[in-house]
Amino acid sequence: MDQSDVTALLVNEQTDRLMTTAASLTDEDVRGASLCEGWSRGHVLAHVARNAEGIARAARAATTGSGEAMYAGQAERDAEIEAGARRSARELVDDVRHTAAELAPYLEAIHPHELKDVTFERTPGGERVYAARLPFMRLREVVIHHIDLDAGFGFEDIGNDDLSELFLRDAAKRLGATPSAPGLTIDTAEGDHLVVGDGGTDVTGPRAGMLRWLLRQDGRDVTSEDALPELPKGF
């Protein structure tokens, strides 16, 4: 499975799973800590909603030439998430549901193989991103932040080997593009073999545990003959 194989249907299926978990949260729950350092569960849900709006803007830019950027700016994005995080559980869930529903037709209009050379701006004048990646980008946000809610859905629960393999390859690639990344040779129980940088440190474990370590710096299920190297955050 490649990023270009991700469909709107798959995004919708994973969004439904996220909504089931989110709908079970109380006001007290959404004030509790998430797996994202410094963020409550409310921050995570507010981010997922704002991301849906951003992906929709990017999809419009890609398919209509509107020239919209995904976000107005990093500061504006952060402020919107902070404001949204203070709302009630019901308001947060309604926000995620509403913005996901508005995004759905835009994702259905994205055909990655037809947009391989089309790009959009993440912020005005900032990084340009290939539009063909939009369905995958949204899928990654939905699934990983579902896990970040720390409410009963974990890396082991992704339940789709192709999808978890895709996330692992993406995580290793993004880590490798980070200047401060350590060299790693990654081998999982499922047969994945990935090399980051010079491959200097061998790390083994189940795929779910490897994702947990790479994405959330929790190495409880991975092992190395040497101490696990420190990973950059937010890569």
Side-chain angles (χ1 to χ4, degrees), residues 39 47 50 57 69-82 121-127 234:
W39 272 11
H47 168 63
R50 302 290 73 75
R57 285 189 290 267
M70 185 172 174
Y71 296 112
Q74 189 66 39
E76 291 86 349
R77 168 188 173 274
D78 293 346
E80 288 180 344
I81 292 170
E82 192 63 40
E121 291 180 329
R122 188 177 184 278
T123 56
E127 174 191 10

Side-chain angles (χ1 to χ4, degrees), residues 14-31:
Q14 292 296 328
T15 300
D16 288 343
R17 298 180 78 185
L18 166 65
M19 294 310 308
T20 297
T21 298
S24 72
L25 301 176
T26 66
D27 287 346
E28 182 178 358
D29 290 334
V30 298
R31 303 291 171 256

Side-chain angles (χ1 to χ4, degrees), residues 73-158:
Q74 189 66 39
E76 291 86 349
R77 168 188 173 274
D78 293 346
E80 288 180 344
I81 292 170
E82 192 63 40
R86 295 192 287 268
R87 290 180 295 177
S88 69
R90 181 173 180 176
E91 289 172 318
L92 285 161
V93 170
D94 286 347
D95 191 17
V96 174
R97 181 181 292 111
H98 174 72
T99 52
E102 289 199 327
L103 170 61
Y106 290 107
L107 286 184
E108 290 168 2
I110 293 290
H111 303 289
H113 297 291
E114 298 175 5
L115 296 172
K116 61 181 181 179
D117 297 322
V118 178
T119 62
F120 62 90
E121 291 180 329
R122 188 177 184 278
T123 56
E127 174 191 10
R128 297 199 69 88
V129 181
Y130 282 101
R133 300 187 65 233
L134 282 169
F136 170 75
M137 289 170 62
R138 178 58 180 175
L139 180 68
R140 184 179 63 196
E141 292 291 313
V142 167
V143 175
I144 302 306
H145 286 315
H146 187 181
I147 294 167
D148 285 332
L149 291 176
D150 196 20
F153 180 86
F155 287 101
E156 297 85 356
D157 301 310
I158 293 174

